Amino acid sequence: MSTTTARDVARPAPAKASKARPRRGLRGNPTLNFWLFTGPFVIGLVIFIFIPIGWSIWLSFFEARYTVTPSKFIGFDNYHQILTNSNFVKSLGTFTVFAAFIVPTTWAVSLGLALLVHRMRFMKAFFRSVFFLPTACSYVAAALIWKMSIFNGVRFGLANTVIGWFGIDNIAWLANPDPPWYWLVIVTVRLWLQSGFYMILFLAALQNIPGELYEAAAIDGAKPGWQTFRYITLPQLRATSTAVILLLLIAAYQAFDEFYNLLGKATWGKPPLVELYNTALGTNQDYGAGSAGAVVLTLLICVVTLFQGKIMGFGRGEESK
Amino acid sequence: MSAMSSNWDRRSVLRAAAGLSAAGALAACGSNNGRGGGSGSGKSLTQYFHAYGEAGTEQAIKKYAAAYDKANVSTQWITGNTFETKLFAALLTKNAPDVFEFHPQIQLIKSGQVADLSDLIDPVKDDFNPADIKSHTVDGKIYGVRMIDDPQFFFYRKSMLEKAKVDVPTTLDELIEAAAKLTTSKVKGLFMGNDLTSIQSNLIWSAGADTLNEKNEIAYHTDAVAEGLTKLHGLFTSGHLLLDAPADYWDPSAIDQGLCAIQWCGMWAMPVMQKALGDDLGVFPFPKVGDSGKQSVYNGGWSMFVNAKGKNVEAAKEYVKWLWIEQKKYQEDWALSYGFHIPPRASIAAEATKLKSGLPAEGVKLFNDFGHFDNIGWTQAMIVAFNDVMANAVRKNQNPEAALDACDKKVDVELKKLFG
């Protein structure tokens, strides 16, 4: 416990008394100011987030086909329906495969890019921009470019042209599930779209590593390159890595656009959101079952996120490391 | 600080913004109603259309709407491949369209979504194709006005078949054989769409089966259909089928660009194909499947419906009556000026000189000889259930019987909900 008395603490000089008029109206009412600034966001949050969540939970207990104002209460039937629906269960498997690949791959690629542009001695800004720019592209647009220009199945598609140089026949990248080339298309489009964003996060973290650490390591005989990266850079990026992995995992759960636009009427490669979209907003228009699925998925995301946070120490202070 | 900023303090800016907002609100009450011209009576109607591929169609629909003087009709032209889902979602909201195009579907009637249009159609009922009337009728009431009939069949390059010494196929086996003979290093023998769902109903009909029978029971689950699925899987894995084309079956690009020798498409694309390929073009129906089958043509098309839960049902019915019953010049224009469609009205079809000779006349003959129309009881959910059969049994090597059994379960659920 500190024994320092209040008198020992240096106090800031009192502000010079203002000669202006006493504060009135907006300036003099902090409560009003608070609501003026936060009110619009709170209203938006309530209208677009909380009410839909509440409505969705309410719908999940009703028979709600072709209506969002149902009257027939059916208890947990929608939950039973969605949990025994093999397509929904399969979609969780699809997500697991996707997340298992895309999370570590994006982490590695974005870290690699960050290291590359961090150490670059010339045209640094140019390359940073080039790698970051795909982030600005919409997932739908990118998926259509991948589908129609790069990975179409005809001879003048970019991918087929390239493999044609090696004497390989055209491949139907998306139509044929066996072999599952569609994963290559889906994974590459997502890597292209999101690596640049996470590169920026890593870049910021890299710039925050004190140079003295590397100097001290060099004096102690650490070899530059892998050894320095393994024992200094990587541990220093731990907090950023944890956040990046968490964000990537959530983004993987939210995967929709590229799957929906690339695979169309396929029965494979459907992540949970596509399955739920088809259930609720597709031709079945079953808002009850769709809402039940959304609630289940939300709970699942919460559990996985908390579990992942516990394992990786997300939210712990520096002192606990 | 500049003089400008001293003149424009925060309060001035706020006042100016408020003034602009008020002016904007007043302007919104004026003439900005989305109409292309003319004068409306004040009633506003919204109509939903999917995006047709033929050039000029959107402008045509807007032109017809602008010519209507009893209401202000705005058009939502919905691009992309999600017209159905956007329409269904919109129908649940206060901003639902007053009129919309779709296919006859009994669940729209059962859920009270579409209005009875019998009183509009009855006076001219005899002038419509009877099959179109039947496909829109439930319990003696007619729920939609057919705008166009769109027969779908195979288009083929005559020169390619001649060069490969291939006759026009009349059986599925012959079609598979033809695809093999026509395939070269640059051209695939056949294109039936990227996911093959476009031919799923024809597979059923050509196998001598039907989607549902007269009692609204499952009629597609037959040995011949299962056999057809097995053969299609063989075709799918043969390497003779064009897959993953940049544009799907409804677009004539694949055959026009020489990517395939035979393409499944609709008569709407015939003018574009003829422009690209001249006389080197023929048509034939989906070949028969198995011994008891018969060649088939899918007579698709689009119909206009009135949202029964809309705010202006009577005004919407008036508009539909005006455009799709009374305005024959627009109906003819819609059917024949952009792509080729068969007018559902006999009196208009009789005067459609563009369909009287050459390839269009052959298309009309196939429509008459082998055509199958929409079954109003075969709903979108059932169609999607059979989409899965095509995905699993044809593209993914699942046992056809197992795929059909899975489809049966889904269709049965729908049938019970609709018919008890």
Side-chain angles (χ1 to χ4, degrees):
Chain A
M1 193 135 174
S2 171
T3 54
T4 312
T5 61
R7 271 186 306 181
D8 295 326
V9 178
R11 290 183 180 178
K16 198 176 176 184
S18 171
K19 290 179 182 174
R21 290 174 296 173
R23 288 183 175 183
R24 288 185 305 151
L26 291 179
R27 292 183 199 171
N29 191 338
T31 310
L32 185 64
N33 283 341
F34 171 80
W35 283 112
L36 267 177
F37 278 103
T38 59
F41 299 103
V42 171
I43 291 168
L45 203 65
V46 169
I47 292 175
F48 296 111
I49 305 288
F50 294 140
I51 290 177
I53 288 175
W55 201 331
S56 186
I57 293 169
W58 180 73
L59 276 175
S60 70
F61 294 106
F62 285 82
E63 162 88 47
R65 290 193 83 207
Y66 303 103
T67 179
V68 287
T69 52
S71 54
K72 191 179 170 190
F73 181 79
I74 55 169
F76 285 92
D77 282 6
N78 283 324
Y79 287 91
H80 180 259
Q81 182 188 329
I82 204 79
L83 289 171
T84 53
N85 177 353
S86 60
N87 288 343
F88 182 70
V89 178
K90 232 187 276 179
S91 75
L92 294 173
T94 300
F95 156 74
T96 308
V97 171
F98 179 60
F101 190 83
I102 200 71
V103 173
T105 311
T106 311
W107 178 86
V109 169
S110 50
L111 178 58
L113 288 176
L115 289 168
L116 197 71
V117 295
H118 183 56
R119 292 179 183 179
M120 205 165 262
R121 292 185 181 177
F122 57 95
M123 295 179 78
K124 202 177 240 187
F126 172 77
F127 283 105
R128 284 180 187 183
S129 305
V130 164
F131 291 134
F132 182 71
L133 269 179
T135 305
C137 184
S138 104
Y139 272 63
V140 176
L144 291 178
I145 292 167
W146 251 243
K147 181 180 184 174
M148 296 168 83
S149 300
I150 302 174
F151 288 105
N152 65 43
V154 300
R155 61 177 185 272
F156 48 72
L158 183 61
N160 278 341
T161 303
V162 171
I163 63 171
W165 295 337
F166 302 97
I168 301 169
D169 281 344
N170 292 344
I171 291 175
W173 301 95
L174 292 164
N176 197 343
D178 188 23
W181 286 115
Y182 60 89
W183 276 121
L184 177 74
V185 184
I186 286 167
V187 163
T188 51
V189 71
R190 183 161 272 241
L191 271 178
W192 183 75
L193 281 163
Q194 68 180 11
S195 294
F197 174 74
Y198 295 103
M199 174 198 80
I200 294 292
L201 299 187
F202 277 123
L203 203 54
L206 283 171
Q207 286 166 348
N208 277 337
I209 300 175
E212 293 86 352
L213 281 177
Y214 293 102
E215 287 165 15
I219 291 166
D220 289 345
K223 292 173 191 166
W226 171 249
Q227 205 172 29
T228 311
F229 174 75
R230 167 75 181 79
Y231 292 104
I232 297 177
T233 310
L234 211 51
Q236 288 293 314
L237 293 177
R238 181 179 167 169
T240 308
S241 284
T242 307
V244 164
I245 289 170
L246 184 71
L247 291 172
L248 281 171
L249 202 62
I250 292 170
Y253 261 116
Q254 293 174 336
F256 178 85
D257 295 355
E258 68 269 50
F259 285 88
Y260 187 78
N261 286 289
L262 289 172
L263 293 177
K265 291 174 183 171
T267 52
W268 48 88
K270 277 188 192 171
L273 284 197
V274 173
E275 184 58 37
L276 292 180
Y277 177 84
N278 287 337
T279 303
L281 296 166
T283 48
N284 282 338
Q285 297 278 296
D286 193 341
Y287 293 93
S291 297
V295 172
V296 170
L297 192 62
T298 306
L299 291 175
L300 204 60
I301 291 173
C302 289
V303 170
V304 171
T305 307
L306 289 172
F307 184 66
Q308 191 248 359
K310 190 158 181 64
I311 289 177
M312 299 201 67
F314 186 69
R316 277 187 221 147
E318 287 294 313
E319 71 281 359
S320 66
K321 286 177 189 171
Chain B
M1 283 183 95
S2 70
M4 178 77 86
S5 34
S6 63
N7 289 338
W8 286 89
D9 61 12
R10 276 170 293 176
R11 285 184 183 157
S12 303
V13 171
L14 278 170
R15 277 190 211 110
L20 277 173
S21 305
L26 286 170
C29 299
S31 60
N32 184 14
N33 50 32
R35 286 195 66 214
S39 59
S41 66
K43 279 252 162 71
S44 291
L45 298 174
T46 304
Q47 55 179 355
Y48 270 29
F49 276 79
H50 83 287
Y52 286 71
E54 301 93 290
T57 44
E58 184 179 5
Q59 291 77 8
I61 281 296
K62 287 182 173 170
K63 181 181 78 180
Y64 310 152
Y68 188 59
D69 61 7
K70 290 182 182 168
N72 301 313
V73 183
S74 61
T75 305
Q76 291 277 334
W77 192 256
I78 297 169
T79 55
N81 57 359
T82 54
F83 175 71
E84 289 90 344
T85 52
K86 283 177 182 166
L87 171 67
F88 288 151
L91 285 173
L92 297 173
T93 69
K94 285 183 179 173
N95 294 322
D98 298 287
V99 295
F100 58 89
E101 65 166 4
F102 202 59
H103 315 289
Q105 297 265 292
I106 201 164
Q107 89 273 5
L108 289 171
I109 297 159
K110 294 268 182 185
S111 59
Q113 197 68 68
V114 292
D116 175 11
L117 304 183
S118 305
D119 54 331
L120 310 187
I121 300 167
D122 276 341
V124 289
K125 192 174 164 184
D126 293 340
D127 192 32
F128 272 92
N129 185 324
D132 277 328
I133 293 292
K134 187 185 171 194
S135 67
H136 292 70
T137 303
V138 174
D139 297 332
K141 293 175 181 172
I142 306 167
Y143 286 90
V145 185
R146 195 64 150 181
M147 300 184 294
I148 42 174
D149 281 320
D150 286 330
Q152 294 174 31
F153 31 63
F154 283 112
F155 290 80
Y156 67 96
R157 296 280 298 272
K158 287 180 178 175
S159 60
M160 288 185 179
L161 267 69
E162 278 167 20
K163 192 179 170 190
K165 294 179 182 166
V166 171
D167 291 329
V168 173
T170 57
T171 67
L172 184 57
D173 290 330
E174 287 174 10
L175 181 71
I176 293 167
E177 202 178 319
K181 286 182 181 170
L182 290 163
T183 298
T184 67
S185 59
K186 292 193 170 177
V187 179
K188 292 286 184 184
L190 184 61
F191 181 49
M192 300 196 291
N194 287 328
D195 54 31
L196 305 184
T197 55
S198 56
I199 51 106
Q200 66 186 37
S201 291
N202 287 88
L203 173 71
I204 294 168
W205 294 320
S206 281
D210 205 345
T211 50
L212 300 174
N213 63 21
E214 290 291 321
K215 294 177 185 169
N216 286 315
E217 296 164 335
I218 288 171
Y220 58 79
H221 194 154
T222 67
D223 291 343
V225 171
E227 186 191 333
L229 289 166
T230 305
K231 285 181 179 173
L232 281 181
H233 175 67
L235 174 63
F236 181 78
T237 54
S238 67
H240 306 140
L241 201 58
L242 177 64
L243 297 169
D244 277 345
D248 214 339
Y249 80 96
W250 59 77
D251 188 293
S253 303
I255 195 166
D256 284 0
Q257 294 173 356
L259 294 173
C260 63
I262 303 173
Q263 178 182 343
W264 182 259
C265 196
M267 204 160 117
W268 59 80
M270 203 180 264
V272 178
M273 286 188 194
Q274 285 181 307
K275 196 175 173 187
L277 305 171
D279 292 333
D280 188 16
L281 196 63
V283 289
F284 66 92
F286 195 91
K288 71 174 187 172
V289 179
D291 295 334
S292 57
K294 191 189 173 194
Q295 291 165 298
S296 68
V297 166
Y298 172 45
N299 288 337
W302 291 90
S303 313
M304 187 53 67
F305 298 90
V306 170
N307 177 8
K309 295 175 180 172
K311 295 170 199 159
N312 301 302
V313 176
E314 287 310 313
K317 284 176 73 174
E318 277 298 308
Y319 173 64
V320 168
K321 184 184 175 189
W322 174 81
L323 181 53
W324 299 112
I325 303 288
E326 294 170 356
Q327 300 301 312
K328 285 191 171 183
K329 63 176 180 181
Y330 288 150
Q331 292 161 42
E332 186 182 353
D333 179 63
W334 184 238
L336 300 164
S337 297
Y338 310 99
F340 283 164
H341 312 266
I342 297 178
R345 302 282 293 274
S347 56
I348 300 172
E351 292 170 10
T353 50
K354 287 178 180 173
L355 304 181
K356 296 278 181 218
S357 59
L359 199 63
E362 281 185 53
V364 173
K365 189 172 186 312
L366 295 182
F367 170 85
N368 291 325
D369 292 349
F370 302 109
H372 288 262
F373 288 73
D374 287 312
N375 180 343
I376 198 164
W378 184 245
T379 64
Q380 205 66 27
M382 299 180 200
I383 292 167
V384 171
F386 208 90
N387 288 168
D388 289 354
V389 174
M390 300 304 284
N392 292 332
V394 179
R395 294 164 67 193
K396 214 184 172 196
N397 198 25
Q398 186 185 10
N399 181 299
E401 278 299 336
L404 288 168
D405 285 342
C407 183
D408 291 352
K409 282 183 190 165
K410 295 175 194 166
V411 173
D412 268 334
V413 170
E414 282 299 303
L415 289 172
K416 272 180 194 147
K417 281 178 180 166
L418 292 169
F419 305 109

